[in-house]
Amino acid sequence: MTEETTNPAPEGTQEADKAPIVTKPEDTAPVASTEADPGEPAAEQEQGDKEDTKKPHRVPAKVRIAELTAQKYQAEAKATAAIAELERIRKQHKPLPQDASSEEVDEHRVRKVMREERYGQVAAEAQIAAEAAAKTRQQMFEAKAEAVADRMPGVLDKFYALPVVTEFMADFIVESDKTPELAFFLGSNPGEATRIASLPIAKQGVELARLEARLSPATVKKTSTAPNPPPTIKGAGAPAQKDPASMSMNDYAKWRENGGG
């Protein structure tokens, strides 16, 4: 994995990633008939149900992004495990002693062939996992950008036009809660994007974190619309009790039930 990579072309240009094209059957001219067919209403209803099932189901943006995020993490985990396996295979290599017997030489050769074969298999698995993670990362980016296309038109074109974007920058932007904002700003300021890409990875993270915080909208303190509580008089004692002698019979009965007297 190199530190800098040229910005890949959108995944939408690949044939396998194109959205399915749904065509609507052409209306056919009705055939004149002199006899009434009682089965026509049921047939039309059945045809209508079939057409409804053919309509593409659009997955909500949040659901799609969550699915892609899980796929990306799975691919990255596979790549990490494969790289660890490659390191373990490398450590299995031991030089053959100079005084080794012919049997030991033959055994050493067999183990070397098996080790090299296993190493090639794991290396291929690591490559496939890395490519899957990169592809899913780009799909995540495009899904997040499409979710805000109404207020940030052209964000994909602006970002893809950048001359260089490092893998660290791509990961940071995709994982950020401000993916569209970061992409739109960098796409609109290619000089700043190139400057960040030229920095060491640690400083790239610092610059992107500062930019992310600057692009984050300020939180507005919510004020309550409830009316203010009535003013209270400090030091006021309990309300004065009404004289039982001046109470009506009903009030007196309630006063007694409440423990009066």
Side-chain angles (χ1 to χ4, degrees):
M1 180 179 294
T2 59
E3 181 182 349
E4 293 189 357
T5 59
T6 57
N7 200 10
E11 289 293 331
T13 60
Q14 298 183 7
E15 189 67 21
D17 293 332
K18 290 184 179 179
I21 301 176
V22 181
T23 58
K24 184 178 180 181
E26 297 181 356
D27 297 332
T28 57
V31 180
S33 176
T34 57
E35 296 181 3
D37 187 355
E40 285 183 356
E44 292 177 357
Q45 179 65 32
E46 182 179 356
Q47 182 66 23
D49 295 340
K50 290 182 179 180
E51 290 182 357
D52 291 340
T53 59
K54 293 181 180 179
K55 293 181 180 179
H57 177 66
R58 186 175 181 83
V59 180
K62 290 184 178 180
V63 176
R64 177 60 175 160
I65 293 171
E67 292 176 349
L68 292 171
T69 301
Q71 294 175 12
K72 176 176 178 289
Y73 289 159
Q74 291 175 358
E76 289 175 342
K78 290 181 179 179
T80 301
I83 293 174
E85 178 66 11
L86 290 176
E87 183 64 22
R88 188 186 69 82
I89 295 174
R90 276 195 293 263
K91 292 181 178 180
Q92 290 178 350
H93 173 69
K94 294 180 181 180
L96 185 66
Q98 295 181 353
D99 58 347
S101 63
S102 58
E103 291 80 3
E104 291 176 337
V105 172
D106 292 340
E107 184 179 356
H108 184 269
R109 288 176 180 175
V110 172
R111 289 182 178 179
K112 180 180 179 181
V113 172
M114 295 177 61
R115 184 170 60 251
E116 290 176 350
E117 183 179 355
R118 175 58 182 165
Y119 188 92
Q121 293 175 352
V122 177
E125 294 174 359
Q127 181 66 22
I128 293 174
E131 291 175 356
K135 179 179 179 180
T136 309
R137 178 181 64 194
Q138 186 165 344
Q139 291 175 336
M140 285 177 58
F141 170 71
E142 292 178 354
K144 289 185 176 183
E146 290 173 359
V148 296
D150 55 339
R151 60 186 180 91
M152 289 186 182
V155 60
L156 287 175
D157 295 335
K158 288 178 179 292
F159 188 80
Y160 284 140
L162 292 174
V164 60
V165 174
T166 65
E167 287 193 20
F168 179 85
M169 291 174 64
D171 279 329
F172 187 100
I173 293 171
V174 169
E175 296 291 342
S176 171
D177 292 334
K178 295 293 177 183
T179 295
E181 288 80 0
L182 286 169
F184 190 84
F185 178 86
L186 294 175
S188 303
N189 299 273
E192 180 67 7
T194 302
R195 183 188 71 82
I196 295 176
S198 65
L199 298 173
I201 292 180
K203 290 187 178 181
Q204 289 181 30
V206 173
E207 291 294 328
L208 290 173
R210 289 175 179 173
L211 180 59
E212 181 184 42
R214 190 173 66 185
L215 294 176
S216 300
T219 56
V220 180
K221 184 178 181 181
K222 295 182 179 180
T223 57
S224 175
T225 57
N228 296 328
T232 57
I233 302 176
K234 295 183 178 181
Q241 295 289 340
K242 191 176 181 180
D243 185 4
S246 60
M247 295 180 183
S248 64
M249 292 299 296
N250 291 334
D251 291 341
Y252 181 80
K254 292 180 180 180
W255 178 69
R256 291 288 296 177
E257 290 177 358
N258 293 331

